[in-house]
Amino acid sequence: MGTVAEVVEPSEADDAMTRRRAAAVAGHRRDRAQARAYLHDDEPEVRASALRALERASDLDAPLLAAALEDPAPGVRVTALELAASRPDVPVDAAAARLDDPDQRVVEAAAWTCGEKVSAAAGPADPAPVVAALIRVARSHPDPLCRESAIAALGAIAHPDGLPAVLAGLDDKPEVRRRAVIALAPFDGPEVEAALARAGNDRDKQVRAAAAELRGPQTGATGAG
């Protein structure tokens, strides 16, 4: 006679790594009940694994994912943002709200998610509010990785309102300048051409190389190493 599979409640005696692995295994086995048992674990890494397991088991509904965006642990919020990027049932506004998150890792992930969702075929009818929020991050966030991620998102969205912030990124740190050059790819016009010409003489070799690739081989980058 067959037996009914029993849901094993997470034990306090188990270490976090064991519970994290158990949650992942539940996802691969499509054991939805077991994966859900780890959603309220004390350890953030376990909760994040439970989210990924439920997504793998096709049991992560939109309200649950939206709630995870408010989790007290930054790592769980990052995981929720990564999962939300490909979910049309989670509105982009929920991701954009995390652009004001106190943790820079969450802001960086939120910018990427916004870029993915707005640039998708089923993006929002009016992307202007999200673009405005990304512009604020690109221009004024104290963490360069957040500014870089926001500029990349503005390039992916290619909304004209975002162009000034992308151009401003050409005066930022080298890694941000490189991202700004790449983000100019979908834009055109005299100011874009002038910006690329200036970037072709940037003191950073990778910035110059990115500009040369966009401008074409006949206008290769110049300048010293």
Side-chain angles (χ1 to χ4, degrees):
M1 177 184 296
T3 57
V4 177
E6 180 181 355
V7 175
V8 180
E9 292 295 333
S11 169
E12 292 183 2
D14 293 338
D15 60 56
M17 181 59 72
T18 299
R19 300 196 306 276
R20 183 179 181 183
R21 288 172 178 168
V25 168
H28 285 291
R29 292 178 176 173
R30 300 183 68 81
D31 187 342
R32 299 172 179 179
Q34 185 66 69
R36 281 179 174 266
Y38 291 99
L39 277 176
H40 303 290
D41 195 276
D42 290 339
E43 291 294 329
E45 295 85 355
V46 179
R47 298 199 300 275
S49 288
L51 288 173
R52 293 190 184 280
L54 287 171
E55 177 74 0
R56 188 175 294 113
S58 302
D59 194 39
L60 184 60
D61 58 45
L64 186 59
L65 186 50
L69 292 172
E70 305 290 337
D71 191 278
V76 178
R77 299 198 298 275
V78 168
T79 296
L81 284 163
E82 291 171 350
L83 294 173
S86 59
R87 293 283 298 264
D89 54 346
V90 178
V92 67
D93 292 348
R98 299 264 59 91
L99 290 170
D100 292 323
D101 198 278
D103 191 283
Q104 67 267 22
R105 295 167 296 174
V106 179
V107 175
E108 183 183 358
W112 176 79
T113 299
C114 286
E116 291 292 301
K117 294 181 79 65
V118 176
S119 62
D126 181 16
V130 178
V131 170
L134 287 167
I135 290 171
R136 289 196 297 272
V137 175
R139 285 187 172 275
S140 61
H141 199 281
D143 187 271
L145 287 176
C146 293
R147 299 196 301 274
E148 180 182 353
S149 186
I151 286 173
L154 290 171
I157 295 168
H159 192 283
D161 288 354
L163 177 57
V166 175
L167 292 171
L170 293 171
D171 294 315
D172 208 313
K173 292 181 177 293
E175 58 271 24
V176 182
R177 298 201 304 273
R178 291 194 291 270
R179 181 61 62 182
V181 170
I182 296 169
L184 286 174
F187 298 100
D188 54 26
E191 60 183 338
V192 173
E193 292 301 320
L196 289 174
R198 181 164 63 92
N201 291 297
D202 193 274
R203 61 184 178 275
D204 183 87
K205 182 178 180 179
Q206 290 181 311
V207 175
R208 298 198 304 270
E213 184 174 354
L214 286 182
R215 299 179 72 202
Q218 72 280 6
T219 55
T222 61

